[in-house]
Amino acid sequence: QVQLVQSGTEVKTPGASVKVSCKAFGYPFNSYGINWVRQAPGQGLEWMGLINPLNGNTKYAQNFQDRVTMTRNSLTSTAYMELRSLTSDDTAVYYCASGNYDAYWGQGTLVRVSS
Amino acid sequence: EIVLTQSPATLSLSPGERATLSCRASQNVSGYLAWFQQKPGQPPRLLMYDASKRATDIPGRFSGSGSGTEFALSISSLEPEDFAVYYCQQRSTLPKTFGQGTKLEIK
Protein backbone atom coordinates (compact mmCIF):
# COMPACT_ATOMS: atom_id res chain seq x y z
CA GLN A 1 0.00 0.00 0.00
CA VAL A 2 1.39 3.35 -1.05
CA GLN A 3 1.74 5.87 1.75
CA LEU A 4 3.48 9.17 2.26
CA VAL A 5 3.95 9.87 5.95
CA GLN A 6 4.92 13.39 7.00
CA SER A 7 6.44 14.75 10.17
CA GLY A 8 4.35 16.44 12.83
CA THR A 9 3.16 19.93 13.60
CA GLU A 10 5.77 22.63 13.90
CA VAL A 11 5.48 25.93 15.76
CA LYS A 12 8.09 28.51 14.82
CA THR A 13 8.86 32.14 15.53
CA PRO A 14 9.30 34.68 12.73
CA GLY A 15 12.73 34.47 11.12
CA ALA A 16 13.21 30.82 11.96
CA SER A 17 13.49 27.87 9.61
CA VAL A 18 11.45 24.69 9.40
CA LYS A 19 12.28 21.31 7.90
CA VAL A 20 9.42 18.95 7.04
CA SER A 21 9.96 15.31 6.14
CA CYS A 22 7.98 12.96 3.92
CA LYS A 23 8.67 9.22 4.07
CA ALA A 24 7.47 7.01 1.24
CA PHE A 25 6.20 3.48 1.59
CA GLY A 26 4.95 0.91 -0.88
CA TYR A 27 6.56 2.01 -4.16
CA PRO A 28 10.06 2.51 -5.58
CA PHE A 29 11.12 5.86 -4.13
CA ASN A 30 13.16 6.86 -7.17
CA SER A 31 10.30 6.30 -9.61
CA TYR A 32 8.42 9.59 -9.14
CA GLY A 33 9.19 13.16 -8.32
CA ILE A 34 8.21 14.48 -4.91
CA ASN A 35 6.20 17.68 -5.02
CA TRP A 36 5.63 20.06 -2.14
CA VAL A 37 2.34 21.96 -1.98
CA ARG A 38 1.12 24.27 0.74
CA GLN A 39 -2.31 25.49 1.80
CA ALA A 40 -2.77 28.52 4.02
CA PRO A 41 -5.81 28.48 6.33
CA GLY A 42 -9.00 28.71 4.29
CA GLN A 43 -7.05 29.17 1.06
CA GLY A 44 -6.23 27.18 -2.06
CA LEU A 45 -3.31 24.99 -3.04
CA GLU A 46 0.09 26.48 -3.87
CA TRP A 47 2.78 24.43 -5.59
CA MET A 48 6.20 25.09 -4.07
CA GLY A 49 8.46 22.86 -6.13
CA LEU A 50 9.65 19.33 -6.71
CA ILE A 51 12.66 17.09 -6.38
CA ASN A 52 13.69 14.17 -8.56
CA PRO A 53 14.65 11.47 -6.05
CA LEU A 54 16.82 9.71 -8.63
CA ASN A 55 19.36 12.50 -9.06
CA GLY A 56 18.34 15.17 -6.55
CA ASN A 57 17.51 17.73 -9.22
CA THR A 58 15.05 20.36 -8.06
CA LYS A 59 12.69 22.91 -9.55
CA TYR A 60 11.29 25.61 -7.30
CA ALA A 61 8.41 27.99 -7.79
CA GLN A 62 9.64 31.55 -8.14
CA ASN A 63 7.82 32.64 -4.97
CA PHE A 64 10.05 30.33 -2.91
CA GLN A 65 13.24 30.26 -4.98
CA ASP A 66 15.36 32.18 -2.49
CA ARG A 67 14.38 30.47 0.73
CA VAL A 68 13.40 26.85 0.06
CA THR A 69 15.59 23.79 -0.22
CA MET A 70 14.31 20.34 -1.13
CA THR A 71 16.47 17.30 -0.49
CA ARG A 72 16.08 13.56 -0.27
CA ASN A 73 17.64 10.49 1.30
CA SER A 74 17.13 7.57 -1.05
CA LEU A 75 18.41 5.09 1.53
CA THR A 76 15.48 5.91 3.81
CA SER A 77 12.98 6.86 1.06
CA THR A 78 12.51 10.24 2.67
CA ALA A 79 12.17 13.68 1.14
CA TYR A 80 12.68 16.94 3.01
CA MET A 81 11.53 20.51 2.51
CA GLU A 82 13.28 23.30 4.39
CA LEU A 83 11.81 26.79 4.38
CA ARG A 84 13.82 29.68 5.84
CA SER A 85 13.10 33.20 7.06
CA LEU A 86 9.58 32.31 8.11
CA THR A 87 6.87 34.93 8.49
CA SER A 88 3.28 34.67 9.62
CA ASP A 89 2.32 34.35 5.96
CA ASP A 90 4.02 30.94 5.95
CA THR A 91 1.49 29.54 8.40
CA ALA A 92 -0.04 26.72 6.39
CA VAL A 93 -0.43 22.99 5.96
CA TYR A 94 2.43 21.64 3.89
CA TYR A 95 1.86 18.52 1.79
CA CYS A 96 4.17 16.24 -0.14
CA ALA A 97 2.70 14.59 -3.22
CA SER A 98 4.08 11.93 -5.53
CA GLY A 99 3.19 9.14 -7.92
CA ASN A 100 1.79 9.24 -11.40
CA TYR A 101 -0.16 12.50 -11.80
CA ASP A 102 0.45 13.29 -8.10
CA ALA A 103 -1.94 10.55 -7.04
CA TYR A 104 -0.37 10.06 -3.62
CA TRP A 105 -0.40 12.71 -0.92
CA GLY A 106 0.94 12.87 2.58
CA GLN A 107 -1.38 13.69 5.46
CA GLY A 108 -0.05 17.23 5.72
CA THR A 109 2.13 19.03 8.23
CA LEU A 110 0.85 22.14 9.96
CA VAL A 111 3.49 24.83 10.30
CA ARG A 112 2.43 27.69 12.53
CA VAL A 113 4.53 30.83 12.62
CA SER A 114 3.82 33.08 15.54
CA SER A 115 5.71 35.37 17.86
CA GLU B 1 3.50 30.87 -15.17
CA ILE B 2 0.19 29.46 -16.38
CA VAL B 3 -2.82 30.83 -14.54
CA LEU B 4 -5.86 28.60 -14.09
CA THR B 5 -9.21 30.28 -13.48
CA GLN B 6 -12.05 28.18 -12.10
CA SER B 7 -15.73 29.02 -12.23
CA PRO B 8 -17.96 29.35 -10.45
CA ALA B 9 -16.31 30.01 -7.10
CA THR B 10 -19.26 28.36 -5.36
CA LEU B 11 -21.86 26.00 -6.81
CA SER B 12 -25.00 25.24 -4.80
CA LEU B 13 -26.83 22.11 -5.90
CA SER B 14 -28.94 19.32 -4.45
CA PRO B 15 -28.12 15.60 -4.33
CA GLY B 16 -29.12 13.93 -7.56
CA GLU B 17 -28.48 17.01 -9.68
CA ARG B 18 -25.75 17.35 -12.29
CA ALA B 19 -22.72 19.54 -11.59
CA THR B 20 -20.44 21.15 -14.15
CA LEU B 21 -17.26 22.90 -13.04
CA SER B 22 -15.04 24.89 -15.37
CA CYS B 23 -11.31 25.57 -15.56
CA ARG B 24 -9.73 27.98 -18.01
CA ALA B 25 -5.97 28.16 -18.62
CA SER B 26 -4.13 31.34 -19.58
CA GLN B 27 -2.06 29.35 -22.08
CA ASN B 28 -2.43 26.11 -23.98
CA VAL B 29 -1.83 23.17 -21.62
CA SER B 30 -2.75 20.57 -24.22
CA GLY B 31 -4.41 17.76 -22.26
CA TYR B 32 -2.17 17.98 -19.22
CA LEU B 33 -4.86 18.90 -16.75
CA ALA B 34 -5.95 17.14 -13.59
CA TRP B 35 -8.81 17.56 -11.15
CA PHE B 36 -8.56 17.07 -7.40
CA GLN B 37 -11.24 16.86 -4.73
CA GLN B 38 -10.56 18.08 -1.21
CA LYS B 39 -12.68 17.64 1.89
CA PRO B 40 -12.07 19.51 5.17
CA GLY B 41 -9.06 18.27 7.07
CA GLN B 42 -7.97 15.93 4.28
CA PRO B 43 -5.32 16.11 1.57
CA PRO B 44 -6.46 16.52 -2.01
CA ARG B 45 -7.56 13.39 -3.86
CA LEU B 46 -6.82 12.87 -7.54
CA LEU B 47 -10.03 12.47 -9.54
CA MET B 48 -9.07 12.95 -13.18
CA TYR B 49 -5.81 13.21 -15.08
CA ASP B 50 -4.95 14.10 -18.65
CA ALA B 51 -8.26 15.97 -18.76
CA SER B 52 -10.56 12.98 -19.19
CA LYS B 53 -9.08 9.90 -17.54
CA ARG B 54 -10.51 8.77 -14.21
CA ALA B 55 -8.01 7.95 -11.48
CA THR B 56 -8.09 4.63 -9.66
CA ASP B 57 -11.33 3.91 -7.77
CA ILE B 58 -13.07 7.09 -8.95
CA PRO B 59 -16.77 6.44 -9.66
CA GLY B 60 -18.13 6.62 -13.18
CA ARG B 61 -20.36 9.60 -12.36
CA PHE B 62 -17.24 11.78 -12.61
CA SER B 63 -16.11 12.78 -16.08
CA GLY B 64 -13.69 15.30 -17.49
CA SER B 65 -13.44 17.01 -20.84
CA GLY B 66 -11.56 19.67 -22.72
CA SER B 67 -8.17 20.46 -24.18
CA GLY B 68 -6.01 23.47 -24.83
CA THR B 69 -7.37 26.18 -22.54
CA GLU B 70 -10.93 25.12 -21.69
CA PHE B 71 -11.75 22.22 -19.40
CA ALA B 72 -14.70 20.92 -17.46
CA LEU B 73 -15.41 18.43 -14.71
CA SER B 74 -18.89 16.95 -14.62
CA ILE B 75 -20.62 14.95 -11.92
CA SER B 76 -23.67 13.30 -13.43
CA SER B 77 -25.76 12.76 -10.29
CA LEU B 78 -24.48 14.25 -7.05
CA GLU B 79 -24.03 12.01 -4.05
CA PRO B 80 -23.79 13.46 -0.52
CA GLU B 81 -20.06 12.64 -0.40
CA ASP B 82 -19.37 14.75 -3.51
CA PHE B 83 -19.86 18.06 -1.71
CA ALA B 84 -16.32 19.36 -1.36
CA VAL B 85 -13.83 21.77 -2.94
CA TYR B 86 -12.50 20.94 -6.40
CA TYR B 87 -9.21 22.13 -7.86
CA CYS B 88 -7.82 21.89 -11.35
CA GLN B 89 -4.05 21.59 -11.85
CA GLN B 90 -1.88 21.86 -14.94
CA ARG B 91 1.36 19.96 -15.40
CA SER B 92 2.08 21.08 -18.94
CA THR B 93 4.72 23.57 -17.84
CA LEU B 94 6.62 24.06 -14.62
CA PRO B 95 5.73 25.56 -12.26
CA LYS B 96 2.71 23.36 -11.84
CA THR B 97 -0.24 25.56 -10.96
CA PHE B 98 -3.66 25.10 -9.40
CA GLY B 99 -6.89 26.92 -9.93
CA GLN B 100 -8.34 28.78 -6.96
CA GLY B 101 -10.97 26.10 -6.39
CA THR B 102 -14.72 25.64 -6.73
CA LYS B 103 -16.70 24.90 -3.60
CA LEU B 104 -19.58 22.52 -4.31
CA GLU B 105 -22.11 22.98 -1.53
CA ILE B 106 -25.47 21.48 -0.70
CA LYS B 107 -28.40 23.67 -1.65
Side-chain angles (χ1 to χ4, degrees):
Chain A
Q1 181 187 357
V2 174
Q3 263 193 302
L4 297 174
V5 179
Q6 298 184 223
S7 48
T9 296
E10 301 270 8
V11 179
K12 297 292 183 181
T13 54
S17 299
V18 69
K19 192 169 186 177
V20 179
S21 68
C22 170
K23 186 173 176 62
F25 298 90
Y27 73 95
F29 182 67
N30 289 341
S31 295
Y32 304 107
I34 302 279
N35 301 265
W36 289 91
V37 176
R38 78 175 185 180
Q39 186 169 38
Q43 302 301 307
L45 302 169
E46 182 177 23
W47 187 82
M48 300 178 67
L50 64 81
I51 182 167
N52 181 337
L54 187 61
N55 54 24
N57 287 350
T58 55
K59 173 68 176 180
Y60 302 140
Q62 190 160 9
N63 283 353
F64 302 98
Q65 183 79 36
D66 295 335
R67 59 189 189 102
V68 73
T69 302
M70 297 176 187
T71 57
R72 92 292 186 214
N73 182 332
S74 294
L75 293 178
T76 61
S77 299
T78 304
Y80 301 91
M81 186 283 299
E82 181 180 34
L83 191 61
R84 300 177 292 277
S85 303
L86 294 169
T87 73
S88 58
D89 289 342
D90 294 314
T91 293
V93 175
Y94 290 75
Y95 294 103
C96 58
S98 189
N100 257 333
Y101 313 106
D102 301 339
Y104 311 128
W105 290 66
Q107 82 277 19
T109 297
L110 174 62
V111 176
R112 183 177 290 122
V113 184
S114 173
S115 55
Chain B
E1 72 177 41
I2 296 175
V3 176
L4 299 179
T5 303
Q6 292 185 240
S7 61
T10 304
L11 186 56
S12 300
L13 293 170
S14 300
E17 290 192 292
R18 180 182 184 86
T20 302
L21 289 64
S22 296
C23 177
R24 173 176 290 178
S26 62
Q27 301 173 40
N28 186 349
V29 300
S30 187
Y32 298 116
L33 190 105
W35 290 93
F36 291 84
Q37 176 194 67
Q38 189 179 32
K39 296 180 180 179
Q42 296 183 17
R45 174 193 182 195
L46 178 67
L47 295 177
M48 313 291 301
Y49 64 93
D50 290 351
S52 61
K53 298 174 182 175
R54 273 191 300 276
T56 302
D57 295 332
I58 300 305
R61 63 182 181 274
F62 289 90
S63 63
S65 62
S67 67
T69 61
E70 299 283 346
F71 299 87
L73 173 71
S74 295
I75 312 171
S76 59
S77 179
L78 286 165
E79 297 287 342
E81 61 267 28
D82 298 336
F83 292 91
V85 180
Y86 292 82
Y87 295 94
C88 55
Q89 180 216 47
Q90 68 80 23
R91 65 179 184 90
S92 171
T93 304
L94 294 181
K96 295 182 185 180
T97 49
F98 292 91
Q100 81 279 17
T102 290
K103 182 178 181 180
L104 179 54
E105 63 177 25
I106 299 176
K107 187 175 183 178

